Amino acid sequence: MRLRCAVLDDYQSVATEIADWSPVAETVEVTAFDRHFADEGALAAALADFDIVVTLRERVPFPASLLARLPRLKLLIASGMRNSVIDYAAAEAHGVTVCGTPSSSTPPVELTWALLLGLARGIVAEHDGLRAGGPWQSTVGADLHGRRLGLLGLGKIGGRVAAVGLAFGMRVSAWSRNLTAERAEEVGVELAPSKEELLADSDFVSVHLALGDRTRGLVGAAELALLKPTAFLVNTSRSAIVDQDALLAALHAGRIAGAGLDVFDVEPLPADHPMRSAPRLLATPHLGYVSRSNYETYYGAAVENIQAFLAGTPLRRLG
């Protein structure tokens, strides 16, 4: 009897086509789910008969309570090499091996700039107006050249976002608690004296920090109040870094020019979620990691992980 492998959140129905699963076809039966399971009970029921699960990024939590309800599960593969929603101790206690995959930082960098440029030039509003027979020009675009781009975080992704900003002729500064002058100089950007000064001085702010105890709620109502009324905020990192209620209030009050979001507290967003109708918001459904090359990497590496696990030599173990 073949082992059963579930692939979660395959919204585009491409998981079994975008990579070559033939190396494990004789030993593993793959089932892809193109819908998200909204609660733990539904997920546990759906996965009860599976030995292997492939999950995308940090979309689906695997707490101890869920792992206890999956007695057949032996291998959990998460795309990327970091996952904060898997209980590794519980996985080990239940005999579940957890593995990761490589992941490229290029797609989220590119999406960050898609959102920033879309906001700056009013792309969606102008497109909608043109297609619907609306006014010929209704917005005045914000310039990038000579304007200040403030980055919260200057790691791998933040550094590449900075390089694009510099290419546009922007003045780029960055801040994080552990950011050094040496790292800022290496990237060619200014080190902001403080988070508050970065926010107050920037025309565009982009978030590129890992989520943790020190970054959760890092940008709240007080921080948003520091932004210029002409400033834009972009977050393609983790939603909890920016207080969502405070951001909604700022958008509705017109205290900032706009925001670009790819991450949300609840995903997928419920149909009646206030973010779906917020003014001055350009939003995408967590597309930061969604690109052909990344999917080829994720699922190709998942096949490698399954092969290695079956051979008794797991690859890229997490936890």
Side-chain angles (χ1 to χ4, degrees):
M1 180 181 295
R2 292 190 297 172
L3 299 176
R4 300 193 67 203
C5 172
V7 179
L8 298 179
D9 291 349
D10 181 23
Y11 299 123
Q12 301 90 354
S13 299
V14 297
T16 57
E17 301 172 1
I18 207 163
D20 181 11
W21 291 79
S22 63
V24 297
E26 292 187 3
T27 54
V28 178
E29 174 190 350
V30 180
T31 300
F33 293 94
D34 61 2
R35 64 184 180 88
H36 184 76
F37 293 96
D39 60 73
E40 185 177 302
L43 182 61
L47 298 181
D49 295 328
F50 286 91
D51 310 278
I52 303 167
V53 172
V54 178
T55 181
L56 277 175
R57 307 299 295 164
E58 294 168 315
R59 300 297 169 274
V60 180
F62 278 82
S65 56
L66 174 60
L67 291 165
R69 300 168 74 174
L70 303 175
R72 280 188 55 169
L73 183 62
K74 292 293 178 280
L75 175 63
L76 176 59
I77 301 171
S79 58
M81 290 302 294
R82 179 171 57 190
N83 193 300
S84 63
V85 298
I86 296 173
D87 188 327
Y88 294 108
E92 183 177 4
H94 289 284
V96 178
T97 299
V98 184
C99 297
T101 75
S103 182
S104 172
S105 62
T106 298
V109 171
E110 294 173 351
L111 185 71
T112 295
W113 280 101
L115 288 171
L116 194 151
L117 288 166
L119 286 167
R121 300 306 297 268
I123 297 297
V124 174
E126 296 291 1
H127 167 270
D128 289 347
L130 186 147
R131 294 292 293 269
W136 184 260
Q137 300 182 8
S138 62
T139 64
V140 177
D143 297 285
L144 302 188
H145 186 87
R147 298 303 191 269
R148 171 77 62 186
L149 171 63
L151 301 175
L152 290 172
L154 197 63
K156 184 184 296 185
I157 294 175
R160 297 182 68 175
V161 170
V164 178
L166 292 170
F168 273 117
M170 302 184 80
R171 296 175 294 128
V172 184
S173 57
W175 176 89
S176 71
R177 285 190 174 93
N178 298 321
L179 181 60
T180 65
E182 291 74 20
R183 170 60 180 168
E185 183 178 0
E186 174 190 342
V187 178
V189 307
E190 301 173 34
L191 175 62
S194 67
K195 174 184 65 175
E196 290 74 17
E197 290 184 62
L198 178 135
L199 294 171
D201 291 344
S202 296
D203 300 291
F204 300 86
V205 175
S206 192
V207 180
H208 301 288
L209 294 164
L211 179 61
D213 292 339
R214 296 199 302 172
T215 59
R216 188 178 300 274
L218 185 73
V219 179
E223 287 76 20
L224 290 168
L226 296 172
L227 292 172
K228 303 173 184 178
T230 55
F232 297 92
L233 173 71
V234 175
N235 186 7
T236 58
S237 182
R238 293 292 183 268
S239 65
I241 296 172
V242 179
D243 185 297
Q244 301 294 280
D245 290 338
L247 179 58
L248 278 168
L251 291 171
H252 279 283
R255 291 198 295 271
I256 61 175
L261 296 182
D262 187 48
V263 288
F264 306 92
D265 286 348
V266 180
E267 297 184 6
L269 275 180
D272 60 350
H273 195 283
M275 280 295 180
R276 286 188 180 267
S277 56
R280 303 175 182 85
L281 177 65
L282 177 58
T284 48
H286 211 150
L287 298 178
Y289 67 97
V290 181
S291 76
R292 175 164 292 276
S293 63
N294 241 7
Y295 270 25
E296 289 172 347
T297 297
Y298 290 165
Y299 295 121
V303 174
E304 294 174 355
N305 286 348
I306 293 171
Q307 287 180 285
F309 175 78
L310 295 177
T313 55
L315 288 174
R316 311 181 188 95
R317 296 191 69 160
L318 301 179

